[in-house]
Amino acid sequence: MDKLIVSSSPHFNGKKTTQNIMLDVIIGLAPAMIASVIIFGIRAAVVIVTCIAACVASEYISRRVMKRPQTVGDLSCVVTGILLALNLPVTINPLMAVFGSVAAIVVVKQMFGGIGQNFVNPALTARIILMNSFPAPMTHWTDAFDYSAAADAVTTTTPLSGMMYVNSPNSAPDYMQLLWGTHGGCLGETCALAIILGGLYLIARKVISPVIPVTYLATVAVFSAILGRDPLFDLLAGGLMLGAFFMATDYTTSPLYWKARIVFAVGCGVLTILIREFGSLPEGVSYSIVLMNIITPLIERYVKPRAFGKPKEKKGKGAAGMKLDAKSVLAPAAILFAICIVVAAALAGTNALTEDRIAQAALAKAEESRMVVLPGAEAFQESGDGTHYIGLSKEAPDGGAVGYVFETESKGYGGTVKVMTGISTEGEITGVVVLSHSETPGLGANAEKESFREQYQQPVGNLAGGIQVVKFQAPNEGEIQAMTGATITSAAVTNAVNSAIEMYQDAYASEGGK
C-alpha cells in the first residue's frame, strides 16, 4: 500500500463517494428549487445562486487559509448553499444571504474540521443566526406568483403564522394550497409535493434511511392530534417536510444506529409540535433539529446495539461501564443544588430591592398612558366593577366624566399584545396606546407608531361590526390599513380595540354614551 488514507466518518464501501452522495441530494432538492422559481419568480433563483456561490467561495477560501486539502469538489458546500437558500424568504437581501452562507461554512463547518466533524446542521444553524440577527427581513413573506418580490412587495402571512392568530384576515390555506405551495413562506418549505418527491428519490437511491423522516412525521402527527391541532395541516405547513427529509437525515449530525435514530426523530417531532403550540414562534423545525443534533452523541452513547457475543451490562453500571456509587451520583447533584440555591437567593434579593421601584414605575407609566389616550381627563378613578378607568375633568359638568379608558389584550405574532383604548363620553375613540408586545422589530413593533395608532380615532357609533383591517387599499370609515409585513400584529391590535369598544357599549351605550 503506497498511501494510508485517514479521514473522518461517514465511510462508504463500494463505488459510493461523498461527491456521489451529495450529487444525489442535489438531484433530490431539484424539484423544490424548480417549484420555488415557479412560485416566487426569478428572484428565487438569484437567492439560490447567491447562497451556493457564497458557500463555495467560503469553503475554498477557508480551506486555503487553514492550509487544508480542498473539499469544494465533494459538493457538500453546494448542498449547504441550496438548503440555506430554501430556508430563506425570496425578499432577503443578498448580502444577508452571503452572511448566512459564510456563517454556515466557516463558523459551523470548517472551524470544527470540515465535513463529517460539525456537530450541528450548518444550513439550519445559519438560518437561526439570520433569524436572530435580522428578524424583520427573515419574516418578510410575499404571496405566491408575486414576481415583483421586491422589498416593498405585497406581504402576506405564512400558513403557520396565520394559524397562530385565529382571527387573522388571512385564513390558513387549504390542503391543496399547502401541497402545491401556492402560499407565502420560505423558498423550499411551500411546495410539500416537491419536497416529498425529492425525499422519495433519496430513499429509493438508499442515500437516506426512511427511519428518521417517517418517525419524525408520525410523531408530529400524533402529538398534533393529542393537542387538538390539525395533524394534516401540521405535516404540510412550514419547513417540516424539508427538515424531515433533507436536514434531520444529515449523516454527520444524526445518529448512526436505527434505535438511536428513532429516539432522535421522536425528539425532533415532540419539540417541533411543542414549539408550534406553546412557543412564541409559529415554526419549530430549525430549533428542534439543532437541539437534537447537540444531544446526538448522548443518544448514541445510551441507545446503541450490543455487539454480537458481548454480555449484557451488569446492574449498577452505566452505559460506559462506570460503576455507579453514592459518591459519584450525589456529589454532582449536591454541587448543582448549591449553585441553584445561590443563584435563587441572588435573584430573590435583587427582586426584593427593586420590586417597589418597578411597581411605582409601572403605575406612573399606566397613568401617563391614560393621559395620552384620553387627553381631556385631569384625573382617573377605577370603575365600580374594576374593568376600566373613568376620566374626570373640572371642565365636565359637576367635575364628572369626560371618557373611559379600557385595557385589553389579544394574541399577536410573537405573543400577547396589550392595548389601552380611550373612548370619550360622546362615543369617540380618542386614542390608542400599545402597552406591551413581543412583535418582530421593524415590522410588528411599528404598532407603537402614532401614524398607525391614530387610524383608530373614529366614532364608536359607526362601528357596529367593529373596526376591520384592510390591505392593499385605502381604508374607509370603520377600517384601518394594515402595517406592511405585519398583518397579524395589525389584526391583534384591532381585536384588542374592538374588545374595548364592546366593553364600552355594554357599560354605557344604553345610557346614550354618557
Side-chain angles (χ1 to χ4, degrees):
M1 181 181 293
D2 297 328
K3 186 178 181 181
L4 177 63
I5 299 175
V6 179
S7 65
S8 60
S9 60
H11 304 292
F12 297 100
N13 293 321
K15 298 180 179 180
K16 282 190 176 182
T17 64
T18 302
Q19 187 182 68
N20 298 147
I21 298 296
M22 295 303 161
L23 184 59
D24 272 331
V25 175
I26 294 172
I27 295 173
L29 290 168
M33 288 189 284
I34 295 171
S36 70
V37 175
I38 294 173
I39 295 169
F40 297 110
I42 192 65
R43 181 68 182 270
V46 173
V47 174
I48 295 171
V49 172
T50 299
C51 288
I52 293 174
C55 284
V56 171
S58 298
E59 178 137 338
Y60 177 81
I61 295 172
S62 61
R63 299 296 290 190
R64 288 291 299 270
V65 171
M66 296 176 183
K67 297 181 180 181
R68 296 172 179 169
Q70 278 300 329
T71 54
V72 172
D74 64 20
L75 302 181
S76 62
C77 56
V78 176
V79 171
T80 299
I82 295 174
L83 287 174
L84 176 59
L86 295 181
N87 277 280
L88 300 177
V90 71
T91 54
I92 191 73
N93 187 311
L95 293 178
M96 295 178 185
V98 171
F99 174 77
S101 302
V102 173
I105 296 298
V106 178
V107 178
V108 184
K109 185 180 176 184
Q110 294 303 330
M111 284 190 175
F112 288 92
I115 184 172
Q117 299 185 57
N118 51 284
F119 66 96
V120 289
N121 186 285
L124 283 181
T125 308
R127 183 192 184 187
I128 292 173
I129 292 172
L130 289 174
M131 279 288 294
N132 286 278
S133 302
F134 312 104
M138 284 293 290
T139 52
H140 188 269
W141 316 111
T142 63
D143 279 321
F145 309 116
D146 177 15
Y147 291 157
S148 62
D152 59 349
V154 174
T155 57
T156 185
T157 59
T158 64
L160 280 171
S161 60
M163 284 297 289
M164 282 189 70
Y165 195 74
V166 178
N167 296 319
S168 172
N170 285 359
S171 58
D174 59 29
Y175 298 131
M176 291 307 296
Q177 284 181 305
L178 292 170
L179 189 64
W180 290 102
T182 54
H183 57 81
C186 293
L187 298 184
E189 70 179 19
T190 57
C191 186
L193 181 61
I195 301 168
I196 293 171
L197 289 176
L200 292 177
Y201 170 80
L202 295 185
I203 293 173
R205 290 282 295 170
K206 297 184 179 180
V207 173
I208 64 173
S209 165
V211 173
I212 289 179
V214 170
T215 306
Y216 191 173
L217 297 175
T219 302
V220 168
V222 170
F223 277 85
S224 176
I226 291 174
L227 294 175
R229 295 170 62 93
D230 184 343
L232 185 56
F233 174 84
D234 273 319
L235 288 175
L236 297 176
L240 179 61
M241 289 292 177
L242 184 66
F245 283 106
F246 290 96
M247 288 178 284
T249 54
D250 177 39
Y251 289 143
T252 307
T253 58
S254 62
L256 177 64
Y257 311 114
W258 72 270
K259 288 183 180 179
R261 288 177 178 176
I262 292 176
V263 174
F264 173 85
V266 168
C268 289
V270 172
L271 288 174
T272 297
I273 206 66
L274 289 178
I275 292 174
R276 287 185 176 184
E277 178 66 16
F278 302 108
S280 60
L281 298 174
E283 179 62 283
V285 173
S286 298
Y287 289 96
S288 301
I289 295 176
V290 168
L291 285 171
M292 294 307 295
N293 287 161
I294 294 172
I295 65 172
T296 290
L298 188 64
I299 295 173
E300 288 193 314
R301 179 180 178 182
Y302 290 100
V303 184
K304 61 182 179 181
R306 181 164 52 91
F308 180 76
K310 183 179 179 180
K312 293 183 179 180
E313 298 286 351
K314 294 182 179 179
K315 293 182 179 180
K317 290 188 177 182
M322 296 176 60
K323 185 177 180 181
L324 301 179
D325 54 21
K327 183 178 179 180
S328 62
V329 174
L330 295 178
I335 295 173
L336 182 60
F337 179 75
I339 293 173
C340 291
I341 292 295
V342 172
V343 172
L347 291 174
T350 303
N351 180 70
L353 291 173
T354 60
E355 187 175 11
D356 291 340
R357 292 185 180 181
I358 293 173
Q360 292 173 4
L363 290 174
K365 182 179 179 181
E367 185 73 10
E368 181 183 350
S369 297
R370 284 192 284 269
M371 291 288 186
V372 171
V373 299
L374 197 63
E378 298 172 347
F380 296 90
Q381 69 178 26
E382 194 170 354
S383 64
D385 57 5
T387 59
H388 60 281
Y389 283 86
I390 302 172
L392 306 175
S393 173
K394 295 178 182 178
E395 303 297 327
D398 301 323
V402 294
Y404 315 96
V405 176
F406 302 87
E407 292 185 21
T408 52
E409 61 183 45
S410 187
K411 188 176 181 182
Y413 181 82
T416 300
V417 178
K418 293 185 179 181
V419 176
M420 181 180 287
T421 305
I423 303 178
S424 69
T425 53
E426 285 75 27
E428 179 89 17
I429 298 179
T430 55
V432 171
V433 167
V434 178
L435 296 175
S436 64
H437 67 86
S438 53
E439 304 302 272
T440 305
L443 292 177
N446 288 334
E448 298 177 353
K449 292 186 175 180
E450 186 177 356
S451 58
F452 172 74
R453 295 185 288 108
E454 66 184 6
Q455 296 184 86
Y456 293 98
Q457 297 179 13
Q458 305 182 38
V460 173
N462 300 334
L463 304 174
I467 299 175
Q468 306 298 317
V469 179
V470 297
K471 300 193 301 181
F472 325 131
Q473 65 185 50
N476 298 316
E477 191 174 77
E479 298 176 337
I480 65 104
Q481 175 70 49
M483 295 176 289
T484 301
T487 305
I488 295 178
T489 304
S490 303
V493 176
T494 302
N495 274 9
V497 173
N498 286 338
S499 296
I501 293 173
E502 291 178 7
M503 294 171 67
Y504 165 79
Q505 290 173 337
D506 290 342
Y508 300 105
S510 61
E511 304 175 15
K514 299 294 182 182

